[in-house]
Amino acid sequence: MIPVGFINIIHGFTVKGRLFEPARIDEKRMVGYPFKEIETKWQTHWESHKTFSIGEDLDLSRPKYYVLDMFPYPSGDGLHVGHPEGYTASDIIARYKRMRGFNVLHPIGWDAFGLPAEQYALKTGTHPSITTEKNIQRFREQLKSLGFSYDWDREVNTTDPNYYRWTQWIFKQLFNRGLAYQQEKPVWWCEELGTTLANEEVIDGKSEVGGYPCIRRPLRQWVLKITEYADQLLDGLDELDWPTSTKEMQRNWIGRSEGAEIDFRVADSDADKIRVYTTRPDTLFGATYMVLAPEHELVDQISAAGARAAVDRYRDSAAKKSELERTELQKQKTGVFTGAHAINPANGKSIPIWIADYVLAGYGTGAIMAVPAQDQRDWEFAGTYDLPVIRTVEPPANFDGEAYTGDGKIINSDFLDGMTVEAAKAAMIEWLEANGHGERKVNYKLRDWLFSRQRYWGEPFPVVFTDAGATTVEDSELPVILPELEEFKPSGTPEGPLATAKDWLDITLQSGQVARRETNTMPQWAGSCWYYLRYIDPHNPDALVDPEKERYWMPVDLYIGGAEHAVLHLLYARFWHKVLYDAGIISSPEPFAKLVHQGMILGELEFTCYRNRQGEAVSAEHVRDGTDTRNGEELSPDRTADSEVVKLGDGFVLSEQQDIAVEARAHKMSKSRGNVVNPDEVVARYGADAFRLYEMFMGPLEQVKPWNTNGVDGTHRFLNRVWRLFVDNESGNRSSKIVDAVPSDSQRKTLHQTIAKVTEDIESMRFNTSIAALMEFTNTVNKWSSVPKEIAEQFLLLLAPLAPHLAEELWEKLGHNETLAYETWPETLAQYLKDDTLMIAVQVNGKLRAQIEIAADLSEEAVLSLARSDDNVARYLDGKTLRREIYVPGRIVNFVVAN
RNA sequence: GCCGGGGUGGCGGAAUUGGUAGACGCGCCGGAUUCAAAAUCCGGUUCUGGUAACAGAGUGCGAGUUCGAUUCUCGCUCCCGGCACCA
């Protein structure tokens, strides 16, 4: 699912003779508590005791919590520091919820079909299943080394026939419900990859993977009718606790719009009527011309003899343009007059019909009525070709724009005059329907989902072709197993590599009928569309999920994963889910109740100074995209050491040459930049607990933030201090500072304030501040001469979700034989939260002049009097007229004075 | 262009039913320990002035509301992410 690959080598590089080593971390030897030993010990313990396996016999009277990570695509490069960010967050929640008495489902698996393994097979002949298995091993080890509390008995793997059997079964449900159909569709074909690609896999006419050129060609494809669910997918968003940006992106992607379709008769012709789609039926009287997409089917029929040559020329050139060129040219709109005219049904006027590629064939009806007065695109086109403009909405008096798209009084529109836009739309639709000229219509940007790929490493379709067409195979025939192949080369034809599997391809059905299997495979999205359901009942041979278990566990309570999946994965999964819901197979209309995106982790902050060919430094304000904005000269970026720059004003400048501003920013981790950080090395040096803690301590989970290996020092030191607090350095036994004594009130206060803060922060996923609270706690406790065992234990329970290995070890040292994973989470006792005395601020005219200590229950009058008598406050009140006294209990006093 | 998010010390960040800006950590400076170093511990660290007490300025820029604004309102600006002729 996470397609980004990163290398796991950290290499220094030289720039102008200086060596930069962004993350050479084995150089310094870390001394401190024996994290390596402890972490291995507890990882082994959890595994052998199946601590986090929830098994089959659950106490269903307990509340459940399903916390899910987006499962990874096991790339050959292993984990990078971005993966464990979300995984750590979900692990903390999982561990916390267990301690809160929930049955917690916290699984992991592998999204293991996909192009990279197939391309590797092409190069090396290694079967993708071997590569995949090897990569999974590596990922599994890495995840285990970080101490995540997954239920490893529930691991799923999309390439396992026992898994994809049910992916195929779901496809059958789609097929049976008429939601899967075949169509000749112009699709992106990439010669180099020997496969078709989905729109989202082609960027600027090149393949997303490899950057190879792609062309459009028609192919028989499987398509899923996601558009049938457009309204449900849109409406379902309202009830979800998801980031607004993600919901908004899905809404835009679905792109629902309401309007009307209107029929225009072609003048002096018996050609078919031309139907247009518009969201502004109220502007019909302002339609001054009509535009058809170059691909529109009526173009041939209507073009006048004299215009035909020009029309054909324009159509040819439009067909050759890639999508990119079409959109790039949006500044200057082009088109050709067909020589034909259409009759405006509202007023009988004749308007010219043009073709232009700013009208898309695939949206609406592929034809529009152009209203330049109220549409900026039409305005531009009309300007270019000198077409008339009729305003039908009165713009505001001070309006100085071109097309006016706002609300206003309708003018020049016969029976609509004087209405608002909203009323006029309704009135016009009513008129159109009454007179047979058109009808109300809802449109979507969302297109049906191109669901087949001409690849090997994907799920085979459970489909065979006979003379009668496509049929699905019997359930008893599932899974349709991917055949072994000698060669993984694409056939070079639109048929995928499976076409070369002769023994597999042709079968005889039970009826005796001869049939041929579908040679397409499913796209990578298929397996990830429903994996969260399989985790609930991963080994069930009879159903994709047991209905009773499904009812208990669904929906997912918390789903954590990257924002790059905001639309596609999350929309496709919701679509399948709703289909399964409608089919009565599952009980919940939405799969993911709450969604959180972890922010990307960037490389370390870098300073870059740009230099021209003479080697002269160019100040950053003159640099844009690596060139000098003043003369267009190419500049070379020069990585500059921290010691050579100094902060000046808003930015950084060279310390030797302070008129030269340098660029200061953290970049996305990438091989080419050499700023990739490998978690294995961080774990080796600091330990998994310190690594987990740092990932959470960096800042808010959702935020993009730069990595800084030095920062791990901080969390490691913190864990060291905790260790020394509990363990005697000499003997390795429990420290004599931990005593069996009754805590003092003040000690209880420290503890319970920490419990309150950590609990609140974990509940709202503010892990950075919960860690800060634990640090403050240890800073305070370190000053105590002894620590009551009761306090020490409660603290360890608070630490446990965040740094589980160390917490377990110290818990054991305090004399416990069982894991603390299911201990009860500490309870905040309110009586220890309030202080007897508190410090409050005293301001005079809003400026802070003193801080005074008061008894918490002191009356307002007494507080004010105390504040007035403070020396420094008195200084500012002296000789002035006191106008107002403000006391916010427990917080602040403000005296307002005048001369 | 449109939609969404953001701008706070040298750095990551903390504080919003409006109430002591800079918690916690990194880095840096000073000290202790050490033959020395690492590690550890203690103190300092927004800027300016002052030995200090304290004073002035300060949360992207400019206005406004308020006794009081990082927080609310209006205008501007820069950065990040997404979409981009969807009629």
Side-chain angles (χ1 to χ4, degrees):
Chain A
M1 169 154 323
I2 295 177
V4 202
F6 285 91
I7 50 157
N8 45 42
I9 305 161
I10 296 179
H11 47 276
F13 56 97
T14 32
V15 177
K16 290 181 134 351
R18 287 189 297 275
L19 179 65
F20 289 99
E21 298 169 287
R24 275 280 294 282
I25 50 183
D26 50 1
E27 206 164 72
K28 273 200 279 177
R29 199 170 55 88
M30 264 295 158
V31 297
Y33 79 103
F35 57 81
K36 176 83 200 142
E37 209 176 292
I38 293 171
E39 288 172 1
T40 310
K41 170 180 163 185
W42 286 99
Q43 282 160 19
T44 310
H45 178 101
W46 295 329
E47 187 156 359
S48 62
H49 290 74
K50 288 194 176 290
T51 304
F52 303 113
S53 172
I54 49 180
E56 295 303 318
D57 300 317
L58 274 179
D59 175 3
L60 296 185
S61 66
R62 288 181 161 218
K64 65 93 184 182
Y65 200 83
Y66 186 176
V67 51
L68 179 68
D69 289 307
M70 286 187 185
F71 65 166
Y73 171 74
S75 74
D77 300 321
L79 293 177
H80 57 88
V81 291
H83 281 112
E85 189 193 7
Y87 296 168
T88 302
S90 64
D91 192 61
I92 291 165
I93 297 293
R95 288 174 180 273
Y96 168 75
K97 290 286 180 183
R98 281 187 203 104
M99 296 173 80
R100 278 267 140 135
F102 288 81
N103 288 327
V104 171
L105 180 57
H106 187 42
I108 191 72
W110 318 106
D111 187 19
F113 276 127
L115 201 48
E118 188 164 340
Q119 284 175 319
Y120 186 73
L122 272 170
K123 269 188 266 170
T124 66
T126 315
H127 194 285
S129 68
I130 295 170
T131 315
T132 301
E133 191 44 49
K134 200 178 110 225
N135 291 346
I136 287 176
Q137 291 259 359
R138 173 103 198 277
F139 265 70
R140 198 188 284 121
E141 274 168 30
Q142 286 186 302
L143 292 180
K144 286 189 175 174
S145 80
L146 290 167
F148 296 136
S149 60
Y150 293 122
D151 182 348
W152 288 100
D153 292 341
R154 289 169 185 266
E155 204 176 330
V156 301
N157 176 344
T158 56
T159 67
D160 180 345
N162 290 323
Y163 180 88
Y164 69 67
R165 164 191 186 157
W166 295 106
T167 312
Q168 292 170 338
W169 186 83
I170 296 171
F171 178 83
K172 282 190 64 181
Q173 311 308 307
L174 288 155
F175 183 88
N176 292 341
R177 301 177 77 78
L179 294 167
Y181 63 97
Q182 298 176 79
Q183 196 177 40
E184 287 278 334
K185 288 192 82 150
V187 293
W188 285 107
W189 165 258
C190 179
E191 195 68 46
E192 195 73 27
L193 299 175
T195 181
T196 58
L197 296 168
N199 282 333
E200 61 268 20
E201 291 170 314
V202 179
I203 297 164
D204 299 346
K206 293 194 171 138
S207 61
E208 185 187 14
V209 177
Y212 306 116
C214 302
I215 57 160
R216 309 276 286 171
R217 64 181 280 183
L219 275 179
R220 181 189 60 83
Q221 298 288 321
W222 283 100
V223 184
L224 298 186
K225 227 183 255 177
I226 190 171
T227 50
E228 192 151 299
Y229 279 75
D231 273 327
Q232 285 192 53
L233 290 168
L234 192 61
D235 296 342
L237 289 170
D238 295 337
E239 65 189 74
L240 299 178
D241 182 4
W242 285 21
T244 47
S245 59
T246 300
K247 289 209 251 186
E248 215 35 50
M249 278 163 75
Q250 293 215 345
R251 287 192 186 104
N252 292 340
W253 190 266
I254 295 166
R256 181 190 156 100
S257 70
E258 293 178 19
E261 287 188 350
I262 304 175
D263 290 323
F264 284 67
R265 192 162 57 75
V266 180
D268 309 318
S269 160
D270 51 6
D272 296 340
K273 285 180 176 173
I274 299 173
R275 176 158 271 225
V276 303
Y277 173 68
T278 179
T279 55
R280 292 296 301 275
D282 61 295
T283 63
L284 182 54
F285 288 96
T288 55
Y289 62 104
M290 172 183 274
V291 186
L292 306 185
E295 297 87 350
H296 196 282
E297 54 181 5
L298 291 179
V299 172
D300 272 333
Q301 238 185 85
I302 61 158
S303 295
R308 184 153 308 246
V311 165
D312 286 347
R313 241 190 341 269
Y314 186 78
R315 273 208 297 189
D316 286 349
S317 76
K320 282 195 198 114
K321 281 187 207 171
S322 69
E323 212 100 313
L324 170 75
E325 286 168 315
R326 275 204 185 186
T327 52
E328 249 189 4
L329 293 173
Q330 61 180 278
K331 278 253 152 62
Q332 186 62 47
K333 293 193 170 27
T334 60
V336 172
F337 176 45
T338 62
H341 289 77
I343 304 301
N344 185 333
N347 55 14
K349 278 192 190 159
S350 171
I351 57 173
I353 304 173
W354 288 63
I355 62 170
D357 64 5
Y358 83 91
V359 172
L360 307 175
Y363 183 77
T365 62
I368 62 156
M369 62 180 210
V371 187
Q374 274 89 224
D375 184 289
Q376 186 61 28
R377 296 156 299 184
D378 296 344
W379 176 282
E380 286 162 16
F381 190 82
T384 305
Y385 295 101
D386 206 20
L387 294 156
V389 176
I390 302 168
R391 293 219 182 259
T392 61
V393 183
E394 196 166 71
N398 57 353
F399 181 71
D400 61 353
E402 299 177 332
Y404 175 67
T405 56
D407 196 8
K409 198 178 82 176
I410 301 291
I411 52 172
N412 302 325
S413 297
D414 197 301
F415 63 93
L416 301 178
D417 283 352
M419 292 184 186
T420 62
V421 167
E422 198 57 37
K425 276 183 188 174
M428 178 54 89
I429 289 171
E430 202 176 309
W431 183 87
L432 288 168
E433 288 181 342
N435 293 280
H437 292 306
E439 60 196 14
R440 178 183 304 279
K441 172 77 181 179
V442 172
N443 253 324
Y444 303 90
K445 286 199 237 176
L446 183 70
R447 311 293 161 83
D448 278 341
W449 175 12
L450 173 64
F451 192 67
S452 41
R453 301 288 185 273
Q454 289 66 48
R455 290 180 189 163
Y456 173 72
W457 197 228
E459 298 88 347
F461 280 83
V463 169
V464 295
F465 295 93
T466 64
D467 295 340
T471 54
T472 53
V473 303
E474 295 297 319
D475 283 359
S476 59
E477 303 285 313
L478 296 180
V480 176
I481 302 226
L482 203 51
E484 293 299 322
L485 284 188
E486 295 298 314
E487 288 250 19
F488 300 97
K489 285 197 177 20
S491 54
T493 72
E495 284 197 307
L498 290 184
T500 65
K502 297 289 176 221
D503 296 343
W504 176 83
L505 200 56
D506 298 308
I507 59 164
T508 308
L509 301 179
Q510 280 170 339
S511 63
Q513 225 180 345
V514 176
R516 187 173 196 264
R517 290 190 190 277
E518 169 62 84
T519 56
N520 285 324
T521 53
M522 299 187 199
Q524 203 185 346
W525 305 111
S528 62
C529 266
W530 71 283
Y531 71 112
Y532 56 90
L533 290 171
R534 192 61 178 171
Y535 284 139
I536 292 170
D537 197 10
H539 310 296
N540 190 333
D542 304 318
L544 77 87
V545 60
D546 177 82
E548 198 185 330
K549 292 177 181 167
E550 189 274 336
R551 270 198 302 279
Y552 179 70
W553 284 112
M554 285 303 285
V556 172
D557 296 280
L558 176 63
Y559 193 23
I560 301 185
E564 66 271 25
H565 298 297
V567 176
L568 299 178
H569 159 63
L570 287 165
L571 194 65
Y572 293 156
R574 291 180 62 222
F575 165 48
W576 278 33
H577 195 90
K578 286 183 179 301
V579 173
L580 292 174
Y581 176 70
D582 285 351
I585 295 159
I586 54 172
S587 67
S588 52
E590 285 285 342
F592 314 121
K594 180 180 166 111
L595 171 72
V596 173
H597 299 304
Q598 79 276 15
M600 202 192 329
I601 295 185
L602 306 174
E604 302 219 9
L605 182 69
E606 295 175 21
F607 296 104
T608 307
C609 174
Y610 288 88
R611 292 180 187 278
N612 62 20
R613 259 178 248 114
Q614 289 75 45
E616 292 159 349
V618 176
S619 194
E621 68 265 23
H622 303 306
V623 183
R624 188 112 203 167
D625 300 327
T627 55
D628 191 324
T629 53
R630 295 166 302 181
N631 53 24
E633 192 183 343
E634 285 256 345
L635 303 170
S636 57
D638 178 12
R639 173 105 185 253
T640 308
D642 301 12
S643 55
E644 291 176 33
V645 300
V646 65
K647 177 103 178 187
L648 187 72
D650 280 343
F652 288 87
V653 296
L654 290 175
S655 44
E656 301 290 303
Q657 214 180 334
Q658 305 212 344
D659 55 327
I660 301 296
V662 299
E663 183 188 85
R665 56 175 299 184
H667 297 86
K668 216 166 163 169
M669 288 192 188
S670 71
K671 269 189 215 186
S672 56
R673 198 168 266 282
N675 61 351
V676 176
V677 178
N678 176 353
D680 292 350
E681 302 200 17
V682 180
V683 170
R685 178 168 166 201
Y686 296 99
D689 282 337
F691 175 71
R692 291 167 56 114
L693 234 40
Y694 176 65
E695 289 240 344
M696 296 299 99
F697 190 59
M698 289 168 80
L701 181 64
E702 303 86 342
Q703 196 166 302
V704 177
K705 33 201 182 285
W707 178 265
N708 178 3
T709 297
N710 273 336
V712 194
D713 265 325
T715 53
H716 179 75
R717 276 179 208 154
F718 162 63
L719 293 177
N720 258 329
R721 277 198 290 276
V722 172
W723 172 262
R724 284 196 307 271
L725 192 62
F726 282 79
V727 180
D728 181 79
N729 221 9
E730 301 294 304
S731 66
N733 294 327
R734 173 175 143 185
S735 163
S736 54
K737 266 185 91 172
I738 311 283
V739 296
D740 290 303
V742 177
S744 70
D745 273 9
S746 126
Q747 287 176 323
R748 285 223 164 93
K749 230 169 250 173
T750 303
L751 174 70
H752 284 277
Q753 280 165 0
T754 306
I755 295 174
K757 177 73 177 151
V758 171
T759 306
E760 264 171 46
D761 285 351
I762 289 182
E763 285 281 355
S764 47
M765 301 184 73
R766 292 188 302 250
F767 304 115
N768 52 335
T769 49
S770 67
I771 294 166
L774 292 172
M775 288 174 166
E776 284 183 86
F777 176 86
T778 46
N779 289 346
T780 303
V781 171
N782 256 324
K783 291 173 186 134
W784 298 351
S785 54
S786 66
V787 185
K789 189 175 164 206
E790 179 188 325
I791 303 246
E793 285 183 337
Q794 299 268 291
F795 166 74
L796 284 182
L797 296 177
L798 297 180
L799 180 68
L802 296 145
H805 308 88
L806 180 61
E808 289 270 26
E809 180 70 13
L810 297 177
W811 185 250
E812 188 182 68
K813 284 204 189 293
L814 291 187
H816 299 277
N817 305 317
E818 294 277 319
T819 174
L820 51 55
Y822 295 94
E823 289 294 322
T824 303
W825 185 255
E827 194 188 340
T828 309
L829 297 178
Q831 72 254 38
Y832 295 113
L833 290 185
K834 42 185 197 293
D835 285 305
D836 300 338
T837 65
L838 30 95
M839 296 292 288
I840 64 163
V842 183
Q843 298 181 336
V844 179
N845 282 352
K847 282 192 190 292
L848 182 69
R849 294 304 176 191
Q851 295 175 49
I852 58 173
E853 188 174 12
I854 60 163
D857 53 359
L858 205 59
S859 71
E860 171 162 352
E861 204 33 63
V863 171
L864 289 175
S865 139
L866 206 59
R868 274 191 299 265
S869 60
D870 179 273
D871 286 352
N872 202 45
V873 174
R875 218 150 59 85
Y876 288 90
L877 299 182
D878 215 26
K880 308 275 171 62
T881 316
L882 193 54
R883 299 263 154 140
R884 214 172 142 184
E885 299 175 312
I886 294 147
Y887 174 52
V888 182
R891 292 190 186 274
I892 204 166
V893 171
N894 192 10
F895 295 115
V896 184
V897 299
N899 285 313

